[in-house]
Amino acid sequence: MTKWVYGFGGGSADGDASMKNLLGGKGANLAEMSSLGLPVPPGFTITTEVCTYYYGHGEAYPADLQAQVAEALAKVEGVVGKTFGSVENPLLVSVRSGARASMPGMMDTVLNLGLNDETVEGLAKLSGDRRFAYDSYRRFITMYSNVVLGLGHDHFEEVLDEHKERLGVSVDTELTAENWEKIVADYKALVERELGKPFPQDPHAQLWGAVGAVFESWMNDRAKFYRRMHDIPESWGTAVNVQSMVFGNMGETSATGVAFTRNPSTGENKLYGEFLINAQGEDVVAGIRTPQSLTKAGREEMGETALSMEEAMPVVFGQFVEVVGRLESHYRDMQDIEFTVEQGRLWMLQTRNGKRTAKSALKIAVDLAAEGVISKEEGISRVEPAALDQLLHPTLDPKAERKIITTGLPASPGAATGKIVFDADEAERAAQNGDAVILVRDETSPEDIHGMHAARGIVTARGGMTSHAAVVARGMGRPCVSGAGDIRIDDKAGTFTVRGRVFKAGEIITIDGGKGEVLEGAVAMIEPELTGDFQTLMGWADEVRRLKVRANAETPLDAKTARGFGAEGIGLCRTEHMFFDDTRIAAVREMILADNEAGRRAALAKIAPFQKSDFVELFTIMSGLPVTVRLLDPPLHEFIPHTEAEMDALAASQGLDAEKLKHRAKDLQETNPMLGHRGCRLGVAYPEIYEMQVRAVLEAALEVKKTLGVAPIPEIMHPLVALGLEMKYLRELTDNTAKAVFEEAGDSVDYLVGTMVELPRAALRAGDLAEHAEFFSFGTNDLTQTTFGISRDDSGRFLQVYMDKGIFENDPFVRLDQNGVGDLIRIAEERGHATKPGMKMGICGEHGGDPSSIAFCEEVGLDYVSCSPYRVPIARLAAAQAALVAKSGIAREKDR
Ligand code: PEP
Ligand code: MG
C-alpha cells in the first residue's frame, strides 16, 4: 500500500528533512523540527505523489487517500486533545501548499478551517474570547471563499469598509465581538448571493475543498510563471500540509512573525525579522499592517517607536533566539522562519533555507565556511550562479546629485532607472517594447509577479521588509523600495503624489534599493567593484572547476570587460560584428555586392587594414591567451542595404553604378537567408574573402609577437561546415595563406585551424571533420535552429505558446535541449575524439553562459565554454558547481 499521508507533531514524525521530494520543503522541515523536539503544532502532509496522481488521473485522488487522511487527523486530535468538527472542543486546522522548492506566495493557503456557525461558539467558549472567535471566523470565510470558491477579497473588503464607516472606526482592532458577528453574517449572505449556495458548514467538506484548491493552485498562472522563472519542473507537484491551528490573534500576549537568522539583503550575521502583536500570519506578509522589528537593535536602526519583540515579550523572545540558533546550526544555513506566539507560548510554523540577494548569498557562504560550519566546496554550491548577475551591473554613483522624492525601506538592493508604471500588465507590455520601467504599487500581490519581473525596479507604498514585494524582489534580484508611506497612488489619474508633488506615469525615476530612496530623474551610475566575498568565492570556484571559461567578444571594450571578469581567452570573435561601424559596413557591402573577383578584391583591400588593426588590439588585450577568430559568417540579409535610398547612398559613397548595385542586391536576395549563402559557403565560393581574413589574423599575430614579445595564440575557425571535404578545402586555404604570410614575414606563429559544429550533419560526420580540424566549437545557436528546424529569427512567434502548453519546458535557444541537440553533441564528441584523440572542444553558442547547459558540457567532457563577457563570472561558478557534482556529488540546494 502506498503511504500518501505523513504525520508530524508531539515530538516525533513519519518523515524528515531528507524527504523534500515527497513531502515538499515545508512538510519535510515540519517533520524535522518535530523530531528535534521543537514546538510544532501537530499535523500531517499529503505527499507530492498525490498531486502527481491527481493530475495523472483526471483530477481524482487515490482510493485509499481518504482513509489515510482520517487516520492522520485522528492522531492529530489525540495529540492536541481536540476534535475536528466538535462543537464543544473544536480542532481547527490550516491547509497550506508546500512544493519541493519554495515558491513563496505563489500557491494557496487557508487558515482557521473547521469553523462554522456552531464551532465558532465552541471556540468562543474555549478561548473565553468571543471577539477572537468571530475575528477568526471572518478571516476563514474570506480566505476559503477566495481560495476555494473563487470569490475575490474585494467583495469582503467592501462589506468590511461599510461596517467600519458606519461604526466610525479606522482599524480592525477597534471592532468588537458583536461587530464581527454582524460582519460574519453579512459575509455569509454575500457568499450565498454571489454563488447561489450557502457557505459550507461541514468541516470535512471544507477540508477536502481546501486540499483540492491547493492542488489546483499548482497550475495557476502565477505558479506556472514562477516555475518558469526559477526552472522548477511542473512534474514535481506540491504537497499539502494540514496542521492544527495556533493563534497569534488571541490578544496582547499573542503574536505572529517571520525571521531570518541572518540579514537576507546584506548577509550580516544578525537575527533579523518582523512581528505583529495580536495578528495572524497573513497580516505580516500581506503588508496590510506595518510590522514591528524583532530586535531592539533592529528597531533602533529603523527609527521605529513601537516596541520590538525583544522588549515587548522578553521571555518568549529568549526562547525564540535559542530555537532559531538551533535551527541554523542544524540546517547549516541561513533560515527563514515563521512563528506564532499563542498566549505567551511559542510555536514554530516553518523553517527553510532563506531566499537572499546575491550579495547576501556570497557573504553567508563565505562566512559559514570561515566559521567552519560548511566546507569551501559547499560554500561554492550555496550561491546560485545566475544571481551573480545582480552584482555585475552598475550602482548609483555616490558623487551624483540625488533629488530624493521620498524614502521607504531598503527592501532589495541595487539601483534602477525607468519610467513610472502602476500596473503589472502595463510593466510587462512596456518592457516588451524595450522600455525600462519602475513598477509603483500600493503593495504587490502574487498576481503582479510577471510585472515585477519585467520591471527594472519596484516601489511600494505599504509593506515591510518581509512583505510580498520585498521577498519576491530579493528573490528575483530586482531593486525594491517598500513601504514608502508618503506615496499616494491615484490609479485612475495615472499619478502618484508625495506631499503635494505629482508624478505621472511615464516620468523617469530612479530607485536605490540599498538605501530605500526614490529619486527624481535618471541618476548617474558607476561600474561595480568586485572585491571581498565575490573574489573569495570566485577564487574557490576557480580552484575546483575543470572547464575553462572564455568570452564571446570582438570589440576591445568587450575583451577588456571579459578579462576583468576572469575570461581565459576568447572563444568566439564574430568577425562580421567587427564591421558594424558605419565606415566599415560600406566596404563590406561593397564586397558582398561585387559581382566579380576583382571588385571583391578591391573592396577587401579597404577592409584588410581595419581587420588587421582590430586583431592587433584583441591579441594585445588577450596577451598569452587563446583567441578564436571565426571567419566571416554574415547572414546576408543583415548586411545588404534594404531601401532604395540606402542603396543610392552606398553607390554614391563608393563611386558605384546605382542601377547595377540594385540589380546585384536583388540577385542576392534569399528566401531563407539563415540557411542560405552564409558561413563557409561564402569562403568556398569567394576564397579571397577568407584569405584576406586569415592574412589579417596572422599578420596581426606576427606584429604583436614582435611588439609584446609574447606570441598570440590564434585559433582560426570556420563556420557552418557540414562536410569533410569542405573542411579539407578550408584547411588547405588557411594553411596556404599562412605559408605565404610567414614566408613574406620571415617569421611565424603557432595557430590552430578548427571548425564550428553547428549543423546536424557536421555532428554526425564529426569523424570526417576531425581529420582536417584541430578543434571543434559547438555553435549551439545554429545547431538548435537546424536540429529543430526552428528559425532563430522567427521562433519568438510561437515558442511562448509551446511553453505555455508545456510542450517546451524551456526556450531551447536559452537552455540547451540536452536530449536532442545534446545527443548530437555527444555523438560529435565521440566521433571527433575517435578520429583525433585529445582534440580541443568547446561551446560558443548562447548556451555557454547558461548554468544548466554548462553542467551538460562538464558531463560531456568539453574543454571550455564561451559566453558573453557579463556571464563569465556566472560561467566560472556554474563550471565549479558542475565539477563538484561530478567529483563529489555536492549539488546545489535547489537541485537536491
Ligand atoms: C552559433 O551558431 O551558435 C554561433 C555561436 O554562431 P552565430 O550565433 O554567430 O551564428
Ligand atoms: Mg552560428
Side-chain angles (χ1 to χ4, degrees), residues 552 572 574 576-577 630 633 635 674 678 717 720 756-758 777-783 792 844-847:
N552 294 355
L572 175 65
R574 291 177 164 105
E576 63 281 0
H577 286 197
R630 202 264 306 272
D633 178 13
M674 270 296 181
R678 56 174 285 219
M717 177 156 81
L720 229 66
M756 299 193 67
V757 174
E758 43 190 348
S777 178
F778 290 95
T780 44
N781 303 332
D782 275 313
L783 192 57
R792 287 163 71 170
C844 64
E846 280 306 300
H847 307 91

Side-chain angles (χ1 to χ4, degrees), residues 493-506:
T495 58
F496 75 74
T497 313
V498 176
R499 293 180 300 272
R501 288 186 60 197
V502 180
F503 295 84
K504 289 199 207 79

Side-chain angles (χ1 to χ4, degrees), residues 257-276:
V258 296
F260 292 89
T261 55
R262 299 181 188 226
N263 186 311
S265 281
T266 63
E268 200 184 359
N269 187 4
K270 269 192 193 158
L271 179 66
Y272 177 89
E274 298 172 325
F275 83 120
L276 275 172

Side-chain angles (χ1 to χ4, degrees), residues 243-549:
Q243 192 175 21
S244 50
M245 284 296 303
V246 286
F247 297 96
N249 57 336
M250 269 182 125
E252 294 303 305
T253 55
S254 300
T256 187
V258 296
F260 292 89
T261 55
R262 299 181 188 226
N263 186 311
S265 281
T266 63
E268 200 184 359
N269 187 4
K270 269 192 193 158
L271 179 66
Y272 177 89
E274 298 172 325
F275 83 120
L276 275 172
I277 290 180
N278 198 9
Q280 274 198 332
E282 305 312 296
D283 300 345
V284 180
V285 263
I288 295 166
R289 277 165 62 187
T290 297
Q292 297 145 241
S293 288
L294 275 189
T295 62
K296 184 162 175 271
R299 170 176 74 80
E300 286 165 356
E301 214 167 284
M302 294 294 195
E304 294 165 0
T305 47
L307 285 189
S308 65
M309 183 180 174
E310 187 174 2
E311 295 156 302
M313 303 181 160
V315 177
V316 201
F317 180 76
Q319 292 163 2
F320 180 68
V321 168
E322 196 203 312
V323 169
V324 301
R326 269 184 76 186
L327 284 173
E328 190 182 280
S329 324
H330 183 72
Y331 285 98
R332 303 184 314 125
D333 199 358
M334 184 263 265
Q335 296 296 295
D336 165 357
I337 287 159
E338 288 178 18
F339 67 96
T340 283
V341 178
E342 183 185 277
Q343 299 190 321
R345 185 160 173 206
L346 175 68
W347 291 98
M348 304 305 291
L349 300 185
Q350 169 161 303
T351 191
R352 61 184 172 204
N353 294 342
K355 296 221 174 294
R356 59 203 81 177
T357 62
K359 182 172 179 214
S360 161
L362 281 171
K363 179 160 175 55
I364 291 172
V366 170
D367 284 356
L368 285 174
E371 290 161 26
V373 177
I374 58 174
S375 65
K376 278 185 190 177
E377 285 76 11
E378 282 175 295
I380 293 169
S381 69
R382 292 283 173 88
V383 180
E384 192 186 337
L388 292 181
D389 197 39
Q390 293 169 32
L391 303 173
L392 307 178
H393 291 286
T395 52
L396 291 187
D397 182 347
K399 292 195 214 89
E401 191 193 356
R402 293 174 180 229
K403 292 189 194 145
I404 297 178
I405 299 171
T406 186
T407 55
L409 301 172
S412 178
T417 296
K419 293 182 183 168
I420 299 168
V421 294
F422 294 107
D423 174 81
D425 292 335
E426 179 55 31
E428 192 175 56
R429 266 195 301 277
Q432 274 162 2
N433 291 334
D435 282 343
V437 297
I438 306 285
L439 180 62
V440 182
R441 308 273 296 155
D442 273 330
E443 64 209 10
T444 64
S445 75
E447 275 78 22
D448 296 321
I449 185 148
H450 59 294
M452 299 172 74
H453 190 241
R456 296 284 172 89
I458 298 141
V459 178
T460 68
R462 289 204 291 263
M465 292 291 281
T466 47
S467 63
H468 177 268
V471 171
V472 173
R474 279 200 293 274
M476 285 180 185
R478 294 287 176 284
C480 174
V481 176
S482 71
D486 288 343
I487 289 184
R488 299 276 171 278
I489 297 175
D490 183 341
D491 273 324
K492 285 202 188 91
T495 58
F496 75 74
T497 313
V498 176
R499 293 180 300 272
R501 288 186 60 197
V502 180
F503 295 84
K504 289 199 207 79
E507 253 178 78
I508 301 275
I509 55 170
T510 295
I511 65 171
D512 181 339
K515 288 220 167 102
E517 291 175 354
V518 182
L519 307 158
E520 270 178 50
V523 179
M525 309 234 183
I526 51 164
E527 290 301 318
E529 262 189 65
L530 298 172
T531 51
D533 299 323
F534 179 87
Q535 292 296 17
T536 308
L537 195 94
M538 287 317 246
W540 296 349
D542 290 346
E543 281 167 28
V544 303
R545 75 185 153 89
R546 184 194 62 79
L547 280 166
K548 296 259 182 219
V549 177

